Amino acid sequence: MTVAVKTFGRIGEAAAALSAERGARFFGGGTILMRMVNEADPDVATIVRSTDPALARLAVSSGRIELGAGATMAAILAERDLAFLHPVARTIGGPAIREAATIGGNLFAHSPYGDFATALLALDAIVAIAGGFGQREQPIEEFLAGRDRGGRQLVTGVSFRRPAADSFRFVKVARIRPKGVAVLSIAAQLPLASGRISGARIAYGAMDRAPVRAKAAERALEGRTLDAAGVAPAVAVAAEGAAPVDDAIASAWWRREILPVHLRRLLLGAGA
Amino acid sequence: MRTPVQFSLNGEEVAAFVEGGANLLDALRETVGDLTVKGGCWQGTCGTCTVLIDGAPRLACITLAETCAGRSIETVAGLRRGPDLHPLQTAFIEHFAAQCGYCTPGMLMAAKALLDRKPSPTREEVVEAIGGNICRCTGYEPIIEAILAASRAGDRRSA
Ligand SMILES: Cc1cc2nc3c(=O)[nH]c(=O)nc-3n(C[C@H](O)[C@H](O)[C@H](O)COP(=O)(O)OP(=O)(O)OC[C@H]3O[C@@H](n4cnc5c(N)ncnc54)[C@H](O)[C@@H]3O)c2cc1C
């Protein structure tokens, strides 16, 4: 089966084409989409592409960070000022996957994929979307919860405040190294005020169909210190709100069992 | 509908007509006739179709052929220089790094991407570079040894 490929110079034109047709899919790096095309998936009738350079733009400052949806994992790894995100980008596939895999595609990747989206959730990112209606912005949590419903929208980029130095942590638990799909991943932003956690953000990958916030654990961490006694209440409620599924990588039961262990290690800075 | 795509393949300009949604692997094998690129999974998981696009490793089976217009593509067909094998090919033979040979084209190209960028890599960097390439019979150790040997051979030549 062949599909129609429509390429547009400008984001707006691509967004219009995407929302106009039910079987249209936007092409990021194609690491997921091309498999569907190769398998003649009837959900993909048209591929919409944009060559607009704005899509791959990285605007990195000491305050706010803006990442174009078309930026690849390799581009993130090449940007020294995004070093805190390198441990995330580096875990996504092998080198050839990272050359193609985009941030936009990761936001739509189904569990157990979506490690970068998990990091963006812990960073409280805002997702910029272009649709038939024009431009709009949506908090990432809302975006992830609704991404599989409704019409096709073109994500143009994400933005977030640079996390305080050393406050961002990430761990991915996989069975194969160096390249392995997640049993689970955890991203956390742990800001400290006078040595105590203030406004923690914790996100899990592969613990639901899309990345989810660990709100019970976040609440339990508020005002606590990052030592064994301080993190214990958060670890005790680690799996609250998570709804992992069984897949070829791990059972839901196993994911729940090991989640508290890895959350504890992450919070204590003890590594995976 | 067929779309014309022009790119450089191992230094030579080629033009091909591709079907909508065609991947680069099928375009190279079936349209251009470069059979040195192998297909394994058509899902991006096995790595045997690894080629270099503008010097970076890419999986031909999940690369949309149309996106290669104007790009420079390298495959195993372009590795040897006249009668001489590429140092990586020699090292793969000397270190018994190819048993059934199915993963070999992808391994060679993933290794070339690394050595072009980093002529004297560490063992960890070699492991990382072939992290997306699956071997099911030779075993990874001889392959890693061969790549490290090729890098040492390169060092001797440039010394
Ligand atoms: C071997 C292998 C290993 C992998 N390992 C990992 C891993 O470890 N972790 C991980 O998270 N993922 C992994 N992936 C999945 C995938 O590579 C990544 O999730 C990647 O980031 C997807 O991005 P893409 O640009 O390739 O998406 P595409 O394939 O281009 O698109 C995926 C979906 O998102 C939609 N889309 C893409 N961009 C946009 C946009 N800007 N706006 C609207 N819709 C859009 C597409 O229409 C499509 O439905 C792996 C894939 C393979 C094949």
Side-chain angles (χ1 to χ4, degrees):
Chain A
M1 191 189 83
T2 63
V3 299
V5 181
K6 297 181 180 171
T7 304
F8 300 92
R10 306 181 75 119
I11 293 173
E13 297 163 341
L18 194 62
S19 56
E21 207 184 313
R22 249 184 118 219
R25 295 288 187 116
F26 189 74
F27 185 91
T31 60
I32 294 172
L33 193 56
M34 280 304 286
R35 173 181 176 170
M36 298 170 78
V37 173
N38 289 345
E39 291 172 354
D41 190 317
D43 280 350
V44 188
T46 301
I47 291 176
V48 173
R49 292 175 61 219
S50 175
T51 51
D52 198 327
L55 265 182
R57 205 171 75 99
L58 301 178
V60 182
S61 71
S62 54
R64 204 144 181 94
I65 293 174
E66 291 174 29
L67 310 177
T72 62
M73 298 303 145
I76 300 288
L77 287 166
E79 177 58 66
R80 270 210 265 143
D81 285 344
L82 291 175
F84 69 99
L85 284 173
H86 290 182
V88 186
R90 203 177 290 123
T91 67
I92 294 177
I97 288 286
R98 295 197 287 272
E99 287 290 338
T102 66
I103 295 172
N106 209 269
L107 285 169
F108 287 91
H110 286 175
S111 181
Y113 292 155
D115 298 307
F116 204 86
T118 303
L120 290 172
L121 182 57
L123 289 164
D124 255 343
I126 298 290
V127 181
I129 300 162
F133 45 79
Q135 286 274 352
R136 76 189 162 98
E137 294 195 326
Q138 197 177 25
I140 187 167
E141 193 180 2
E142 219 176 273
F143 169 83
L144 289 171
R147 70 174 182 187
D148 297 329
R149 288 194 301 268
R152 302 246 165 263
Q153 343 167 13
L154 174 50
V155 171
T156 58
V158 292
S159 62
F160 51 87
R161 203 148 38 89
R162 178 184 283 281
D166 300 328
S167 72
F168 180 79
R169 296 183 190 175
F170 177 80
V171 66
K172 173 169 166 177
V173 182
R175 293 183 190 271
I176 306 169
R177 277 165 202 269
K179 182 203 82 167
V181 176
V183 173
L184 59 86
S185 57
I186 311 175
Q189 195 181 173
L190 305 167
L192 290 170
S194 313
R196 292 182 180 274
I197 291 290
S198 166
R201 287 285 179 277
I202 302 173
Y204 298 149
M207 290 302 289
D208 206 331
R209 287 178 196 282
V212 281
R213 284 259 302 274
K215 291 193 175 164
E218 288 173 2
R219 276 194 301 274
L221 266 187
E222 190 62 26
R224 313 282 301 196
T225 49
L226 287 179
D227 50 33
V231 307
V235 171
V237 294
E240 230 173 79
V245 296
D246 294 333
D247 61 24
I249 309 292
S251 65
W253 172 81
W254 178 246
R255 288 186 158 107
R256 279 180 180 284
E257 283 296 303
I258 66 168
L259 176 68
V261 177
H262 290 284
L263 178 63
R264 182 173 189 278
R265 287 183 194 166
L266 185 80
L267 294 175
L268 294 178
Chain B
M1 202 183 74
R2 292 182 147 223
T3 309
V5 186
Q6 262 182 288
F7 49 83
S8 148
L9 179 62
N10 300 318
E12 284 184 22
E13 285 304 312
V14 296
F17 280 93
V18 297
E19 296 284 354
N23 62 65
L24 177 64
L25 171 62
D26 292 342
L28 286 175
R29 286 182 63 87
E30 288 163 23
T31 312
V32 179
D34 182 345
L35 300 178
T36 65
V37 197
K38 303 293 179 207
C41 66
W42 277 266
Q43 299 180 350
T45 40
C46 77
T48 192
C49 68
T50 305
V51 298
L52 305 195
I53 301 182
D54 293 340
R58 294 287 296 271
L59 300 163
C61 78
I62 53 167
T63 298
L64 183 63
E66 282 184 39
T67 61
C68 298
R71 304 291 195 89
S72 167
I73 297 172
E74 293 171 63
T75 67
V76 167
L79 277 185
R80 59 187 300 165
R81 295 277 169 264
D84 298 328
L85 291 178
H86 188 279
L88 275 165
Q89 291 172 304
T90 309
F92 267 57
I93 294 168
E94 287 174 354
H95 290 263
F96 303 100
Q99 188 167 293
C100 86
Y102 210 88
C103 71
T104 311
M107 288 289 183
L108 285 169
M109 297 316 288
K112 182 173 191 291
L114 172 68
L115 297 190
D116 285 353
R117 191 171 43 82
K118 188 123 206 235
S120 301
T122 62
R123 190 189 158 80
E124 285 66 39
E125 286 165 336
V126 171
V127 170
E128 175 59 41
I130 59 167
N133 296 70
I134 294 175
C135 164
R136 286 288 104 118
C137 73
T138 309
Y140 295 101
E141 285 304 319
I143 295 172
I144 294 165
E145 281 310 316
I147 297 168
L148 287 169
S151 80
R152 288 192 293 270
D155 284 350
R156 277 200 301 279
R157 265 200 317 281
S158 56

